[in-house]
């Protein structure tokens, strides 16, 4: 018997691969209509079941009611219709003033630092459109290359010790000069990132770079500032290829001073600091020898890959050891306290402290916290090295007297010369350009004169006198940097050297070593207060200097926006 086609014998079950995944299984009924997902509706359409607004209701912008007047119905009106309780006569004052928002035009005569800082401190919606300074082809600037160049420049600035706001201003200046709008740079302690939004519908382009190593070379820092100044200048054409070439030359450039000169400068700094606190010529020589031994030991540890904390521990031990050795000889010609204090002057991280406080005052709290934590580790390293040696000296019978404070003789000329020598040696340690060494030396001498006149002649608190002197250092340094269109750090950092709290730090450590915690902690607290006075004074002087400059902003009397983001809430 032959089965007919289509009979039961011819109907074989189909495999799972032959059935569509969207076909309902056997036994499940098909929906009455097409699924709702196949016919998407506008998200502004009213859902099914909601009552619509009557045709006769006045729902336009000029009507007095939105919907259903008098009936209390919950009909939906236009989003642009005013509510029923709105009255034009009792309307609140408009947020936008009647004459409109004042337009901001950046004066091109002002330095690029002030112009870019002004734009960073204003809302994104109020920033003026960029005016490309450097030329590019018709296609537009190469966005990845511009962002990469910007990150490389920011890396050199951040590694050189610049504040976070100045680094962001430099990155913002580079991107705007090459025609990139809507760029947002972000700077933290070790990470730089920048994001570029081509348009409101395109995906943003973001790049980042990590700062692995930091070094002090203010000659390189000044060269980077000159490159940025040329990029932002209309009369100087700097293509991307030329900017990359100059940046590579800056990276390959050798330090202006060899290693043995830096070692001698460290010894000269310690010797000048010992004379500043009352030492004589013999104290100068002993303090210089101790500082040079500490510097060479620190370089040896750095060559072996030890962290910077241990380098500070090792560098602080030779000056303290020489001071303890002098106490064991019972020599009256040399003051051990002056020797140890001079060695501490060469190690105190004044540059990092000023940068950390500056970042905190300008609103970069994460970077400020990281910098201050770094300063704390360095300070703990110095404390550890000095305390180990002092404790060993006390066990050997060394007569160290924390009550014997420095008796400063009336030697104003010698102390002024010593402060200037300290600034000169500090400037060499910071690898400054030879053309800036004289200016920072004079700036440091003026700061010491102001401090001596206030603290010793007028009897004012040393902390207050330090703050005023540091403020003048920041004021003069900022004005000199604007005159030369460069960074302010080469004119400020070395000039605060004579104001560092070396003696208070030493006597605090000695009190802790001798188990006199009250006196030791009081002296250490005075050292911390002095350090903060230096940092705040430098930042305040820099901000005051900008009051004398032309505000790069402001048509219609708009003032410069402050750096503070909040009011405490």
């Amino acid at each position: 018997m032959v089965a007919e086609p289509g009979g039961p014998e011819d109907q074989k079950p189909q495999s799972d691969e032959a059935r569509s995944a969207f076909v309902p299984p056997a036994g499940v009924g098909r929906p009455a209509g097409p699924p709702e997902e196949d016919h998407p509706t506008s998200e502004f359409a009213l859902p099914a079941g909601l009552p619509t607004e009557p045709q006769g209701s006045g729902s336009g912008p000029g009507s007095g009611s939105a919907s259903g007047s008098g009936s209390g119905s919950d009909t939906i009106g236009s989003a642009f219709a005013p509510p029923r309780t709105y009255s034009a006569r009792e309307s609140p004052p408009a947020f936008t003033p009647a004459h409109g928002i004042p337009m901001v035009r950046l004066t091109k005569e002002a330095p690029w630092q002030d112009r870019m800082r002004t734009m960073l401190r204003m809302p994104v919606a109020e920033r003026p459109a960029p005016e490309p300074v450097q030329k590019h082809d018709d296609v537009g600037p190469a966005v990845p290359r511009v962002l990469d160049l910007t990150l490389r420049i920011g890396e050199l600035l951040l590694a050189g010790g610049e504040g976070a706001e100045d680094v962001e201003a430099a990155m913002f200046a580079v991107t705007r000069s090459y025609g990139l709008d809507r760029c947002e740079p972000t700077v933290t302690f070790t990470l730089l990132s920048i994001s570029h939004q081509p348009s409101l519908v395109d995906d943003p382009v973001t790049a980042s770079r990590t700062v692995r190593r930091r070094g002090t070379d203010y000659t390189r820092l000044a060269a980077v500032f000159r490159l940025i100044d040329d990029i932002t200048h209309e009369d100087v054409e700097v293509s991307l290829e030329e900017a990359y070439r100059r940046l590579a030359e800056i990276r390959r450039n050798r330090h202006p001073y060899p290693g043995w000169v830096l070692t001698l400068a460290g010894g000269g700094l310690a010797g000048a600091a010992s004379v500043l606190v009352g030492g004589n010529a013999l104290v100068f020589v002993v303090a210089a020898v101790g500082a040079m031994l500490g510097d060479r030991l620190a370089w040896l540890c750095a060559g072996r890959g030890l962290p910077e904390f241990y380098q500070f521990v090792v560098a602080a031990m030779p000056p303290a050891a020489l001071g303890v050795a002098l106490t064991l000889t019972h020599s009256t010609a040399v003051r051990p306290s002056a020797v140890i204090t001079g060695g501490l002057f060469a190690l105190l991280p004044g540059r990092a402290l000023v940068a950390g406080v500056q970042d905190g005052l300008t609103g970069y709290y994460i970077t400020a916290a990281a910098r201050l934590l770094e300063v704390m580790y360095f300070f703990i390293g110095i404390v550890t090295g000095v305390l180990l040696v002092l404790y060993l000296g006390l066990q050997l019978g060394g007569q160290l007297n924390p009550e014997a404070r420095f008796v400063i003789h009336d030697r104003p000329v010698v102390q002024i010369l010593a402060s200037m020598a300290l600034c000169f040696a500090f400037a060499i340690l910071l690898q400054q350009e030879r053309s800036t060494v004289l200016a920072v030396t004079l700036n440091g001498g003026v700061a010491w004169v102001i401090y001596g006149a206030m603290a010793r002649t007028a009897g004012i608190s040393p902390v207050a006198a330090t703050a005023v002197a540091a403020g003048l250092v920041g004021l003069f340094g900022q004005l000199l940097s604007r005159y030369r269109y460069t960074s302010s750090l080469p004119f400020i950092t070395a000039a605060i050297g004579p104001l560092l709290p070396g003696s208070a730090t030493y006597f605090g450590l000695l009190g802790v070593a001798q188990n006199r915690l009250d006196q030791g902690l009081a002296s250490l607290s005075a050292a911390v207060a002095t350090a903060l006075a230096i940092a705040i004074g430098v930042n305040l002087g820099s901000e005051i200097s900008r009051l004398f400059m032309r505000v790069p902003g402001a048509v219609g009397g708009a003032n410069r926006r402050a750096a503070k983001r909040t009011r405490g809430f």
Side-chain angles (χ1 to χ4, degrees), residues 159-235:
E162 275 290 347
E165 187 177 32
D166 293 329
V167 176
E168 283 195 2
M171 297 171 65
F172 202 66
V174 174
T175 55
R176 289 183 67 88
S177 298
Y178 285 106
L180 295 187
D181 193 11
R182 294 181 294 272
C183 285
E184 286 296 331
T186 304
V187 176
T188 57
F189 184 53
T190 57
L191 180 66
L192 301 114
S193 64
I194 186 167
S195 179
H196 169 60
Q197 183 81 32
S199 66
L200 297 178
V201 296
D202 294 331
D203 295 332
V205 181
T206 303
S208 61
R209 195 172 184 88
T210 303
V211 179
R212 300 292 181 184
R213 297 183 61 184
R214 292 184 301 275
T216 304
D217 189 347
Y218 283 175
T219 300
R220 178 180 297 175
L221 192 68
V224 176
F225 265 79
R226 283 193 294 269
L227 174 60
I228 300 173
D229 187 62
D230 290 342
I231 290 176
T232 57
H233 206 279
E234 292 183 343
D235 299 333

Side-chain angles (χ1 to χ4, degrees), residues 14 23 53 62 138 143 165 213 273 282 349 354-355 376 381 386 391 419 515 520-521 532 559:
Q14 297 181 355
V23 175
E53 184 182 359
D138 297 335
V143 174
E165 187 177 32
R213 297 183 61 184
L282 186 57
V354 171
M376 185 189 71
V386 174
Y391 182 77
S419 65
N515 232 1
L521 293 179
L532 291 178
N559 295 324

Side-chain angles (χ1 to χ4, degrees), residues 146-159 167 170-171 174 178 192 209 221 224-225 227-228 231 243 247 251:
V146 173
L147 297 184
D148 179 70
L149 175 67
T150 303
L151 290 174
R152 291 176 184 271
I153 291 177
E155 178 190 9
L156 287 180
L157 294 178
L158 188 61
V167 176
M171 297 171 65
V174 174
Y178 285 106
L192 301 114
R209 195 172 184 88
L221 192 68
V224 176
F225 265 79
L227 174 60
I228 300 173
I231 290 176
L247 197 61
R251 284 180 173 275

Side-chain angles (χ1 to χ4, degrees), residues 17 35 43 128 132 180 233 301-302 328 355 389 448 481 495 527 568:
E17 291 79 3
E43 59 184 9
L180 295 187
H233 206 279
C301 294
L328 295 177
V389 176
W448 181 256
S481 68

Side-chain angles (χ1 to χ4, degrees), residues 138-494:
D138 297 335
V139 181
V143 174
R145 297 197 66 193
V146 173
L147 297 184
D148 179 70
L149 175 67
T150 303
L151 290 174
R152 291 176 184 271
I153 291 177
E155 178 190 9
L156 287 180
L157 294 178
L158 188 61
E162 275 290 347
E165 187 177 32
D166 293 329
V167 176
E168 283 195 2
M171 297 171 65
F172 202 66
V174 174
T175 55
R176 289 183 67 88
S177 298
Y178 285 106
L180 295 187
D181 193 11
R182 294 181 294 272
C183 285
E184 286 296 331
T186 304
V187 176
T188 57
F189 184 53
T190 57
L191 180 66
L192 301 114
S193 64
I194 186 167
S195 179
H196 169 60
Q197 183 81 32
S199 66
L200 297 178
V201 296
D202 294 331
D203 295 332
V205 181
T206 303
S208 61
R209 195 172 184 88
T210 303
V211 179
R212 300 292 181 184
R213 297 183 61 184
R214 292 184 301 275
T216 304
D217 189 347
Y218 283 175
T219 300
R220 178 180 297 175
L221 192 68
V224 176
F225 265 79
R226 283 193 294 269
L227 174 60
I228 300 173
D229 187 62
D230 290 342
I231 290 176
T232 57
H233 206 279
E234 292 183 343
D235 299 333
V236 181
E237 183 177 352
V238 182
S239 62
L240 282 175
E241 289 74 14
E242 176 68 15
Y244 269 106
R245 185 191 63 79
R246 291 179 57 177
L247 197 61
E249 289 182 355
I250 293 173
R251 284 180 173 275
R252 289 196 302 264
N253 228 2
R254 292 185 176 182
H255 299 304
Y257 309 105
W260 63 271
V261 174
L262 299 180
T263 301
L264 290 178
L269 190 154
S274 64
V275 174
L276 201 63
V277 294
N280 52 20
L282 186 57
V283 170
F284 179 94
V285 174
V286 176
V289 171
M292 288 189 288
L293 287 176
D295 180 76
R296 288 294 92 190
L297 289 177
W299 276 105
L300 182 63
C301 294
R304 297 296 185 271
L306 287 179
E308 210 166 5
F309 174 83
Y310 300 104
Q311 298 176 29
F312 272 83
V313 173
V314 172
M317 296 178 73
L322 288 180
V324 171
L326 291 174
T327 60
L328 295 177
T329 61
H330 303 285
S331 174
T332 59
V334 179
R335 302 179 61 181
S337 56
V339 173
I340 299 176
T341 301
L344 292 178
F345 264 88
L347 297 176
L348 294 177
R351 175 181 59 88
L353 176 66
V354 171
V357 174
Q358 179 182 358
D359 288 341
L361 294 176
T362 52
Y364 295 83
Y365 301 114
I366 297 178
T367 306
R371 288 186 189 271
L372 294 178
L373 183 62
E374 182 188 41
V375 171
M376 185 189 71
Y377 272 106
F378 291 164
F379 189 77
I380 292 176
I382 298 172
V383 168
T384 303
V386 174
L387 281 181
L388 287 175
V389 176
L390 291 180
Y391 182 77
L392 180 61
L394 291 176
Q395 298 302 316
L396 295 176
Q399 299 297 324
L400 297 170
N401 186 12
E403 301 294 339
R405 298 289 176 178
F406 295 128
V407 180
I408 305 299
H409 304 286
D410 291 332
R411 306 182 301 172
V413 177
V414 174
Q415 291 176 352
I416 292 173
L417 293 177
S419 65
M420 295 177 67
L422 190 153
C423 295
F424 179 82
F426 204 173
I428 295 177
L429 283 175
L430 295 174
Q431 302 279 1
Q432 291 190 196
E433 292 180 310
R434 292 177 175 86
S435 59
T436 63
V437 172
L438 179 60
V440 72
T441 301
L442 294 177
N443 197 9
V446 172
W448 181 256
V449 169
I450 297 300
Y451 171 79
M454 295 182 62
R456 296 178 182 174
T457 303
I460 300 176
S461 169
V463 176
T466 301
V468 174
L472 290 177
V473 167
L475 174 63
F476 294 152
Q478 198 67 237
L479 294 176
L480 287 172
S481 68
R482 291 302 185 269
Y483 174 74
R484 300 185 55 138
Y485 292 95
T486 184
S487 172
S488 61
L489 289 182
F491 303 99
I492 291 177
T493 306

